Amino acid sequence: MDIVSANSRNNSVSILYGNGDGSFQNPISLSVLSEPTAAAVGDLNRDGYPDLIVNSRGDHCFVVLLSRGNGSFQPMRKQETGRVPLSIILDDFNNDGQLDLAVTLTFNSMEIYLGMGNGSFKKGPAYSTGATSFSGVSGDFNLDRKKDIALATSSSNSSAIRIYSGNGDGTFQLSGKFADGLSPLALIKKDMNSDNREDLIAAGGKGDNLYMFYANGDGSFQKEIPFSAGGGPISLVAEQFSDDGQMDVAVANSRSHSFSLVARGPDGHFKFPTRDYLTAGAPLSITSGDYDGDGAADIAVAVTDLNNVEIYLNKTKVHMPKP
């Protein structure tokens, strides 16, 4: 497994190719446009190779880097967006077999871009989000075989998780809103209770709180289950990190210069105290993957102070569920 990092300070994307033993090759740097803060990976032209999509906050666009299949990429293609694009959500929204994009913008809106199957996109509709959205996920939350979008939206006077139900043709309708006042900033999805429904986990901007929302399967979600970790939770990942059969949560704590592993017991409740790991600086992002090939989920944390990625290898020997 490899790692991709969007680097806003020098307007580049770094690719760290994995050696399969938990170590990585020296990063390959690709120049993009100004202030990239988000990257997504997917096969945009259906040639079997993963391509890159990167936002550009400064140039109000996203860029596409098509893979040549040998570790190098074609010259970037630019697609203009509205002002200050933030998160990128990649999925097939119109059921044509091509990957599409949803892009959130700083000024309370979301734009849809329909993939043409060759790495280019056609702009679709735009939707009001009620507040700024730094994070969102796609999934079939109402089990109608059409992809929906969940956004964490937050501003000084309005905050909520908003659900946009997909019509299956690249258009959406706002179908639900919950978590009012919880200031959700980061949002991920995961089936946390093995019922084949995609649940949501959010990091809130107030009180250093985290929240889990079990899905009902009809596009709605149950009341939040609060839990907490370190100071300034900014990024989340959910995976089976221990050997108790439960999905756990790891969270990057921007203020306490650490990440926390919040494990869950056999009853599904979160265990306390958390297991905390100090990082070399303020973490901005956290992700997981099997970096050493032993079948267990490891953790990678992007740390801004030293401009590096820290790798934490899982030694519990628990095996990741097969996708």
Side-chain angles (χ1 to χ4, degrees):
M1 300 208 47
D2 312 312
I3 292 175
V4 175
S5 169
N7 311 311
S8 61
R9 289 179 180 171
N10 67 352
N11 305 329
S12 72
V13 172
S14 295
I15 303 176
L16 289 77
Y17 288 114
N19 293 318
D21 58 0
S23 66
F24 292 81
Q25 301 173 26
N26 290 330
I28 295 174
S29 182
L30 304 174
S31 294
V32 291
L33 298 180
S34 64
E35 294 185 70
T37 58
V41 179
D43 185 1
L44 300 179
N45 56 358
R46 302 180 70 179
D47 62 357
Y49 301 113
D51 308 306
L52 294 175
I53 309 96
V54 185
N55 75 331
S56 170
R57 290 169 57 121
D59 284 291
H60 312 304
C61 68
F62 64 83
V63 299
V64 173
L65 296 160
L66 295 179
S67 173
R68 291 193 174 103
N70 59 1
S72 66
F73 291 81
Q74 298 179 26
M76 65 181 177
R77 303 181 182 184
K78 177 182 176 181
Q79 173 73 56
E80 293 184 354
T81 66
R83 293 179 61 192
V84 195
L86 298 174
S87 67
I88 298 172
I89 305 167
L90 184 64
D91 214 328
D92 180 6
F93 296 127
N94 59 354
N95 292 324
D96 66 350
Q98 317 291 351
L99 287 175
D100 310 308
L101 290 181
V103 180
T104 65
L105 306 177
T106 296
F107 298 99
N108 306 349
S109 63
M110 173 179 67
E111 296 178 338
I112 305 299
Y113 293 85
L114 300 178
M116 307 304 291
N118 59 1
S120 64
F121 292 85
K122 176 184 177 181
K123 187 175 181 180
Y127 301 91
S128 172
T129 58
T132 301
S133 176
F134 292 97
S135 182
V137 294
S138 62
D140 183 8
F141 301 121
N142 56 3
L143 305 182
D144 65 351
R145 298 185 180 182
K146 301 171 185 177
K147 290 301 177 70
D148 314 308
I149 295 174
L151 296 182
T153 65
S154 183
S155 67
S156 59
N157 55 13
S158 175
S159 70
I161 295 175
R162 296 171 181 261
I163 304 297
Y164 296 82
S165 294
N167 297 316
D169 58 0
T171 65
F172 295 82
Q173 52 187 325
L174 179 63
S175 60
K177 175 170 83 75
F178 58 97
D180 289 7
L182 298 184
S183 299
L185 295 178
L187 186 68
I188 61 172
K189 68 173 184 179
K190 199 76 174 184
D191 181 1
M192 299 294 286
N193 55 356
S194 301
D195 65 352
N196 295 317
R197 299 171 182 172
E198 294 174 312
D199 309 308
L200 297 176
I201 307 101
K206 294 181 179 178
D208 298 334
N209 288 322
L210 307 172
Y211 306 96
M212 182 170 66
F213 305 86
Y214 284 127
N216 293 319
D218 59 359
S220 66
F221 292 79
Q222 299 177 27
K223 183 176 175 55
E224 70 271 8
I225 299 174
F227 60 106
S228 60
I234 195 171
S235 181
L236 301 163
V237 65
E239 195 53 80
Q240 185 178 327
F241 294 114
S242 57
D243 58 359
D244 59 9
Q246 294 287 347
M247 289 292 174
D248 310 306
V249 174
V251 53
N253 307 309
S254 61
R255 286 202 318 274
S256 55
H257 287 206
S258 68
F259 78 88
S260 299
L261 177 60
V262 191
R264 297 167 71 221
D267 59 0
H269 292 119
F270 289 101
K271 295 180 180 179
F272 294 96
T274 62
R275 187 176 299 172
D276 300 325
Y277 299 83
L278 291 178
T279 56
L284 289 181
S285 183
I286 189 169
T287 188
S288 67
D290 182 8
Y291 302 127
D292 58 358
D294 66 354
D298 309 308
I299 287 177
V301 183
V303 179
T304 182
D305 300 59
L306 300 179
N307 300 330
N308 63 15
V309 175
E310 298 181 358
I311 307 297
Y312 295 82
L313 299 180
N314 190 340
K315 298 304 180 183
T316 62
K317 302 303 181 186
V318 60
H319 290 275
M320 297 173 66
K322 293 182 179 180

